[in-house]
Amino acid sequence: MDGEFKPFTFRSPRIVFKRNAWKDLPRICGEFGKQGMLVTGTTVMAKSGVYPALMGDLKAQGMVVREIVREGREPTVREVDSIASAARAECVDWILGIGGGSALDLAKAAAGLARNEGSAGVYQEGKDLAKEGIPFVAVPTTAGTGSEITNNAVLINEQRRVKLSIRGDKMLARAAVLDPVLTRSMNPQVTSHTGLDALTQAIEAYVSKAANPLSDLLAEKAIEAIWGSLYGAFTNGNDLNAREQMLYGSLLSALAFSNAKLGAVHGFAHPIGALHDIPHGLVCGALLPHVMRFNLAGNIHEVTRKYGWIGRKMIGKGARESLSDADLASTAINSIIDLLESMRLPTRLAGLGLKPADIPAIVEQTKGSSLQNNPRETSKDSLEKLLRDSL
Ligand SMILES: [Fe+2]
C-alpha cells in the first residue's frame, strides 16, 4: 500500500461459526436469562427440520419463549414498535432472530428499541439510542445480507413511503451464530439473490473510500469464497461445502462493509427497492457491472488495481502475467455478467421492469453514506447517466 498506514477501529459481535451451531443456542441465549422471544419467518419454520428440535431444547432448559412467526416481507416501523412494546411488557431477557435479512433486521430493531423511548420512526430521523437494547442473538438462514454483523436495520416507513435505517452500536448482536446447515432451506432464487448481495457488498467495501487494511483483507477473502461457491450453491442447494463457503464469504463480506461502508450500487438499491418492490439482491446484481464500469472509467489507480485483483482471481490460472490491471478489471466486470446470465438473472435495470421515466425519482432519493464512500465522485447528472446506461 502507498503512503502512510491507514488507522482503523473495528467493530464485530461475538461470532460462532460451525455446522449444527443451532444446538448451542439454548446455552448462548441462556447467558441472558430464561425469558425469551423468537422472531422468525414462515419459510424457516416450514423448511428447516431443526425448528421443532430447537424449540424442544429451549423448553428443556427451562426457557419460556414467545414465538413470533411472520411472512418474509421487509419489516415496517409499525411492526418493530409492536414487537418492542410486547418485549418491554413481558420483561423479555433476550430476542433471538432466525431468518433472512428481514427477520433479523426486525428482531434487531425491536431488541434495540425495547429499552429506549419512542417509535422506530423517530430513530429513522437519526436520533441516537440512549440505552443498550435487550440482548439480541442473530442466526442467519441466508448467506448474503450480513444483518447478523451490522449495527443497523432497514425499515419501511409506511407513512412516509420510504425505506430508512435505524443505526447504532447499541443494536449490535450479542452473538452471531452462523450455521451452514440452516442455509440449505434457501431455494435457488433466494440463494442467487442473497449471494449477489454478499458479492456486491464485498466488492463495494473493497473499493470504498472508507476501506482500511483489515477490511481489504476481509473483502478479498469474501470475494474469493463467494466467487468459488455461489454457482455451486445455486445449482445444488444440498452441497454443504458450497453452503458453508457461501456463509463464510457472506460473513467476511459483512465484516468488511460494516466497517468500510458501501458504494453507489447500495446508494441506488434502497430507493429502487422502496419505489419498485424488487428483491434487494436482484437489484444489486443488475447494477453491479454498470457501477463498476462507471468507477473504472474514473481512472482512479486504486480502483483499477483492486478491480484488476478481482479479475485475476475470477479467471484464476487462465490469467496471463502480461494482462494489465485495466484488462483484468474489464474481465471482472464481464465475468460478473456471465455469472448473472448463468443464473438467469437480469444484467440491466430494464430486465427488472424499470423505465427511463423512473430515473429522476430514483436519483432524487439516492443519497447517504453509500454514495459518499463510492470511490468515484458522483453528481446528479452522472448518477442519471449511470442509470440510463444501466437500463
Ligand atoms: Fe446489500
Side-chain angles (χ1 to χ4, degrees), residues 73-114:
R73 65 189 182 280
E74 296 188 46
T76 62
V77 164
R78 198 187 317 166
E79 209 178 351
V80 170
D81 288 348
S82 126
I83 295 178
S85 77
R88 209 177 290 131
E90 292 167 28
C91 299
V92 158
D93 298 315
W94 46 265
I95 297 185
L96 170 62
I98 306 182
S102 296
L104 295 191
D105 275 9
L106 173 59
K108 187 196 300 179
L113 226 69

Side-chain angles (χ1 to χ4, degrees), residues 144-145 197-198 200-201 257 262 266 269-270 280-281 284:
T145 70
D197 188 19
T200 304
Q201 286 165 175
F257 89 80
L262 293 160
H266 276 80
H270 285 163
H280 173 70
C284 287

